[in-house]
């Protein structure tokens, strides 16, 4: 058998014959198979790499989206932190301003400032100032103060004088205000109307207002009343109008303040204001102010504790209070 293979190729020029050795044929077949296998393997590898590239691109896109989201979230957090820092700075500034205002209030109220080394919280200082302020407010509502006929001058003082009608020397137990008939009279403190007495003699139309803690105030020579007996009155309410009734030489208001029935000079009470808080205690020595202040301190402190549960605050101190405490210790 021939070891060669004859391959004939025909075209317009004729037929050509090629002889291929059988062994070469095998080599060619193997080479062709190898080339095809390599091409197939290469194609598969290219396809695999292409798929991996697509997957990698998808992962990269996802990571980019996540990175953008994280960046946006970080920006929001940064903005929020800046706002919080600004808010904290504002609150700190407000607390600093509040502390300065409390300093002023403590100075006005005469509260003792903390000694060096002592730590007093802002809350304790506020509670103390609130209690001291409440004590003062309570005193100004309980005890007669101010002019019952605002803006009207005093025409006759407390003390011994010659009576303008009888001509005799007699102790004048109140103040006279030279008010025209019909001038409004306002309650100088909270109280209850104890006496309403119309009359054309002596004190004329007479009104007595009973305040707390033993204090009373009376009003004489009125034109008419604006209240009834037993009516509860708050400081500043209109109680009547001045007149010229009874034993009087002209329109005016005769105003008295009494403590436990004993007449006191009303002038220190009329001139008593929050700006000169100590003045009344210094001028009027017959009232036991120390015990009164201590009692009101206790009442107000209890009220604040029931409503706010504050720390125990320092009681209000006055010159009279301190002297009273020193006397108790002695």
């Amino acid at each position: 058998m021939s070891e060669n293979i004859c391959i004939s190729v025909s075209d317009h020029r004729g037929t050509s014959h090629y002889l291929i050795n059988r062994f070469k044929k095998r080599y060619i077949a193997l080479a062709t198979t190898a080339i095809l296998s390599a091409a197939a393997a290469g194609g598969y590898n290219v396809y695999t790499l292409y798929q991996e590239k697509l997957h990698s691109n998808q992962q990269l896109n996802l990571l980019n989206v996540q990175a953008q989201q994280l960046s946006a979230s970080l920006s929001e957090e940064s903005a929020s932190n800046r706002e919080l820092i600004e808010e904290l700075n504002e609150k700190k500034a407000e607390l600093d301003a509040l502390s300065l205002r409390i300093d002023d209030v403590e100075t006005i109220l005469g509260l003792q400032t903390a000694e060096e080394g002592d730590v007093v919280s802002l809350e304790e200082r506020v509670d103390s100032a609130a209690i001291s302020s409440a004590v003062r407010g309570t005193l100004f509502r309980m005890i007669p103060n101010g002019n019952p006929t605002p803006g009207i001058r005093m025409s006759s003082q407390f003390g011994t004088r010659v009576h303008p009608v009888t001509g005799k020397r007699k102790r004048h137990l109140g103040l006279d205000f030279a008010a025209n008939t019909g001038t409004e009279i306002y309650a100088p403190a909270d109280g209850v109307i104890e006496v309403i007495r119309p009359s054309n003699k002596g004190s004329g139309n007479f009104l007595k207002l009973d305040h707390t803690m033993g204090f009373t105030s009376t009003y004489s020579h009125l034109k008419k009343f604006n209240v009834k007996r037993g009516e509860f009155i708050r400081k500043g309410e209109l109680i009547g109008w001045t007149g010229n009734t009874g034993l009087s030489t002209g329109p005016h208001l005769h105003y008295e303040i009494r403590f436990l029935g004993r007449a006191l000079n009303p002038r220190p009470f009329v001139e008593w204001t929050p700006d000169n808080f100590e003045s009344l205690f210094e001028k009027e020595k017959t009232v036991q102010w120390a015990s009164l202040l201590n009692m009101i301190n206790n009442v107000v402190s209890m009220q604040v504790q029931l409503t706010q549960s504050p720390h125990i605050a320092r009681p209000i101190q006055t010159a009279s209070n301190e002297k009273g405490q020193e006397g108790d210790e002695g």
Side-chain angles (χ1 to χ4, degrees):
M1 178 180 289
S2 176
E3 296 294 333
N4 297 323
I5 298 174
C6 180
I7 299 175
S8 298
V9 178
S10 298
D11 56 15
H12 66 282
R13 291 178 297 180
T15 301
S16 299
H17 301 281
Y18 300 95
L19 295 176
I20 299 175
N21 187 279
R22 180 177 292 179
F23 294 104
K24 290 182 179 179
K25 180 186 73 171
R26 291 179 180 175
Y27 293 147
I28 291 172
L30 291 173
T32 301
T33 302
I35 291 172
L36 292 175
S37 298
Y44 177 77
N45 289 335
V46 170
Y47 176 77
T48 301
L49 291 174
Y50 177 74
Q51 293 296 324
E52 290 179 352
K53 181 181 179 182
L54 289 178
H55 181 69
S56 297
N57 287 337
Q58 291 175 352
Q59 292 294 323
L60 182 60
N61 291 334
L62 179 61
L63 290 174
N64 286 333
V65 171
Q66 292 177 346
Q68 292 174 358
Q69 292 175 345
L70 288 174
S71 178
S73 177
L74 181 60
S75 298
E76 292 178 358
E77 291 294 334
S78 298
S80 178
N81 287 338
R82 286 194 297 271
E83 291 177 357
L84 288 175
I85 291 174
E86 292 176 358
E87 186 176 352
L88 286 174
N89 290 334
E90 291 176 358
K91 294 298 183 184
K92 183 178 182 300
E94 291 176 1
L95 287 175
D96 291 340
L98 178 60
S99 180
L100 292 175
R101 292 182 64 183
I102 292 175
D103 287 340
D104 295 338
V105 172
E106 288 175 335
T107 300
I108 293 172
L109 296 179
L111 297 178
Q112 296 177 349
T113 56
E115 297 180 359
E116 185 176 357
D118 292 343
V119 178
V120 180
S121 70
L122 187 61
E123 182 181 2
E124 290 176 313
R125 294 174 63 196
V126 169
D127 289 337
S128 178
I131 290 176
S132 298
S133 178
V135 168
R136 291 177 182 235
T138 301
L139 286 172
F140 279 106
R141 296 205 69 89
M142 291 171 46
I143 300 173
N145 61 91
N147 189 337
T149 55
I152 304 301
R153 68 178 180 85
M154 288 178 280
S155 58
S156 183
Q157 300 294 324
F158 178 88
T160 303
R161 67 168 188 174
V162 176
H163 195 282
V165 176
T166 65
K168 298 180 179 179
R169 290 185 62 81
K170 185 178 180 181
R171 192 160 180 254
H172 189 226
L173 300 180
L175 295 177
D176 287 346
F177 292 91
N180 293 327
T181 298
T183 300
E184 295 177 338
I185 305 171
Y186 297 97
D190 294 350
V192 60
I193 303 299
E194 182 179 351
V195 177
I196 292 286
R197 187 178 64 212
S199 175
N200 288 321
K201 299 179 180 180
S203 297
N205 292 335
F206 176 84
L207 184 153
K208 181 178 180 182
L209 183 55
D210 187 6
H211 308 288
T212 56
M213 305 301 171
F215 290 93
T216 60
S217 59
T218 62
Y219 311 81
S220 301
H221 311 296
L222 274 61
K223 177 182 179 181
K224 60 179 180 178
F225 309 104
N226 191 49
V227 290
K228 297 179 180 179
R229 184 175 183 274
E231 185 176 349
F232 288 92
I233 301 299
R234 294 182 65 83
K235 175 179 171 61
E237 287 191 29
L238 178 66
I239 58 176
W241 292 267
T242 60
N244 190 31
T245 57
L247 191 61
S248 171
T249 58
H252 73 287
L253 170 67
H254 177 76
Y255 175 57
E256 294 186 10
I257 293 178
R258 293 176 179 262
F259 177 68
L260 300 180
R262 182 168 54 84
L264 304 178
N265 184 357
R267 184 160 187 164
F269 294 84
V270 170
E271 296 175 346
W272 187 39
T273 68
D275 294 332
N276 60 356
F277 182 72
E278 298 286 343
S279 64
L280 179 62
F281 313 130
E282 295 169 354
K283 294 177 181 178
E284 182 51 69
K285 303 291 187 179
T286 60
V287 179
Q288 298 295 321
W289 297 114
S291 60
L292 176 60
L293 289 174
N294 287 334
M295 185 200 68
I296 296 177
N297 261 312
N298 293 334
V299 172
V300 171
S301 297
M302 183 178 298
Q303 290 175 342
V304 173
Q305 289 173 1
L306 290 174
T307 56
Q308 300 178 359
S309 298
H311 298 285
I312 296 176
R314 294 163 290 177
I316 186 172
Q317 295 291 334
T318 67
S320 300
N321 195 344
E322 292 174 355
K323 291 179 181 179
Q325 291 177 349
E326 291 175 359
D328 292 341
E329 292 175 358

